[in-house]
Amino acid sequence: MRRKGSVRSDKEKSTLSYLKCLSREERYEEMFVILENFSFSVTNHRWLQTLWLRGHYTREAARLGRGLAPADRTRIKRQFPFPAAITSPQLDIEDHRYSKDFLKVFYGINEYPSPGEKMMLSVRCKMTYHQVNSWFKNRRARDREALAVSGTEFLSPASPQSPEQLDETLDLMMGIIKRDPDCVI
C-alpha cells in the first residue's frame, strides 16, 4: 500500500539518482535543464546547489584550460545564480529591517542576552544563532568605540533612558512576541 505523497518522493528520488549519473558523466547541459525545471524538496537544495556549482566550475575550468582561482569561482556564482527550483525563499528587505529593529530594541533592554534569549531572537528574527551572537558582539564593540572617541556615554536611539521607558519598551517587545505565531518563548 502506497502512502500519500510517496509518488512525489519516488519521482524525486529517481530524478536525484539521474542527476548524480549526469554529473559523473559530465553531461552538465542536461543536468542544468533538469535543475532549472524540476521542483525539489527543500531538504535536497544544498546538495543540488553543490551539483549546480560543480557543473559550472568544471565547464569553466575546461574552457580556461586551468584550475579556477577564488575570483573565478565568485564570478561564476554571480554569473550563474541558483535556479528558483533549488533555492529556498529568502527574506525580503522589510523582514531584514524589522529584524534589525527588533534586535536594537532588545539591545536597549539587555546588552548581554543569555544563550536562551539569543536562541529566541534567532527564531524570531529568522537568523542563525551565530548571526545573532555576532550582531550583539559587533554592536557592543561599536558602542565601546563611540564611547572611546567621544569620551561620553553612547546611547543608541533604541536605548531606554529611564525605568518608565524600559517598561514601555519591554511591553512593546512582549506585545510583538505574543502576536507573532512563529515565536516560541
Side-chain angles (χ1 to χ4, degrees):
M1 177 173 202
R2 239 175 225 272
R3 291 188 341 248
K4 185 177 181 180
S6 65
V7 171
R8 165 90 177 131
S9 64
D10 289 345
K11 184 177 180 183
E12 186 167 350
K13 284 179 187 176
S14 63
T15 305
L16 292 172
S17 297
Y18 185 60
L19 285 170
K20 190 184 288 188
C21 292
L22 290 175
S23 176
R24 283 190 196 130
E25 296 170 7
E26 297 185 3
R27 293 169 45 197
Y28 297 117
E29 294 304 321
E30 191 176 346
M31 184 178 79
F32 295 148
V33 169
I34 293 171
L35 287 173
E36 290 170 343
N37 296 308
F38 189 84
S39 179
F40 297 96
S41 63
V42 177
T43 56
N44 294 314
H45 284 187
R46 196 69 174 145
W47 182 75
L48 293 168
Q49 289 170 357
T50 303
L51 276 183
W52 176 264
L53 289 175
R54 186 181 301 151
H56 284 291
Y57 291 163
T58 305
R59 273 189 2 183
E60 187 68 8
R63 187 182 74 78
L64 294 173
R66 61 175 173 80
L68 296 178
D72 295 325
R73 292 179 188 275
T74 303
R75 179 181 46 78
I76 291 168
K77 283 181 184 178
R78 285 193 192 123
Q79 191 174 359
F80 302 103
F82 299 129
I86 61 171
T87 306
S88 301
Q90 298 294 317
L91 296 174
D92 63 2
I93 299 299
E94 290 301 317
D95 283 344
H96 284 295
R97 284 191 192 125
Y98 186 72
S99 296
K100 187 177 174 184
D101 291 343
F102 195 84
L103 290 172
K104 284 181 183 177
V105 171
F106 197 89
Y107 181 82
I109 296 169
N110 184 1
E111 293 180 12
Y112 293 91
S114 69
E117 289 170 330
K118 289 177 190 173
M119 188 60 70
M120 181 272 300
L121 288 168
S122 70
V123 170
R124 172 67 191 83
C125 295
K126 297 177 184 162
M127 298 167 72
T128 64
Y129 179 88
H130 180 73
Q131 288 173 317
V132 171
N133 194 36
S134 295
W135 188 92
F136 276 93
K137 284 197 293 191
N138 292 338
R139 181 59 189 259
R140 288 190 298 266
R142 282 192 296 274
D143 285 356
R144 277 192 305 275
E145 186 178 315
L147 176 64
V149 169
S150 69
T152 60
E153 185 176 349
F154 175 75
L155 290 174
S156 67
S159 297
Q161 299 170 355
S162 69
E164 292 81 24
Q165 286 178 326
L166 180 62
D167 289 340
E168 184 179 316
T169 305
L170 188 56
D171 290 342
L172 174 70
M173 283 192 67
M174 290 309 293
I176 291 170
I177 291 170
K178 286 178 184 172
R179 284 192 304 269
D180 189 353
D182 295 334
C183 188
V184 178
I185 299 178

